Amino acid sequence: QVQLVESGGDLVHAGGSLRLSCVVSENMFNFNVMGWYHQAPGNQRELVATMSVGGTTNYADSAKGRFTISRDNENTVYLQMNSLKPEDTAIYYCATYRGYNNIYSSSSYDYWGQGTQVTVSS
C-alpha cells in the first residue's frame, strides 16, 4: 500500500504564500503522474496541478501564474502557492496515477494522502 503524507497547510492572509509538500512512501518515479487537488466545503475535488514522470506540468486556470508544482529526485512533490486568495481555501491533497490518459479526473488516481488544510483570510 502506497502512502502519501501532505504537510505545509496553514492560515495565511490574502497575498501570502505557502509551500505544500507531499512525501510518497515509495519512489514517485514509479508513477506516471503526480497530482495536487483541492476540495472546498460543499464542492467536488478539483485538479490544481500535475507533473508527469517526464516533467510535463499542467495547471488549473485558477492556478496558472500563481502556483508551481515541483519535485525532488526521489519521493517528494511540492506545490508552491503565491498570491493566495480567499477562494484558494480548501483541503489540498496529493495523489498518484500510474496511467496517462485522464489526468484531469480524480477517479483516475490510485492513491491519495490525507490532505492538508489551507485557509486564506481576506
Side-chain angles (χ1 to χ4, degrees), residues 36-39 46-49 58-68 79-90 92:
W36 282 99
Y37 276 74
H38 68 192
Q39 187 169 18
E46 299 175 337
L47 177 71
V48 177
N58 286 280
Y59 294 94
D61 287 344
S62 61
K64 289 177 181 176
R66 298 189 301 127
F67 294 2
T68 303
L79 185 68
Q80 177 67 42
M81 304 189 296
N82 298 328
S83 302
L84 283 161
K85 305 175 182 180
E87 51 264 44
D88 296 319
T89 296
Y92 283 71

Side-chain angles (χ1 to χ4, degrees), residues 26-44:
E26 66 179 65
N27 192 318
M28 63 184 171
F29 292 93
N30 292 336
F31 306 97
N32 284 325
V33 177
M34 296 296 301
W36 282 99
Y37 276 74
H38 68 192
Q39 187 169 18
N43 290 354
Q44 292 184 335

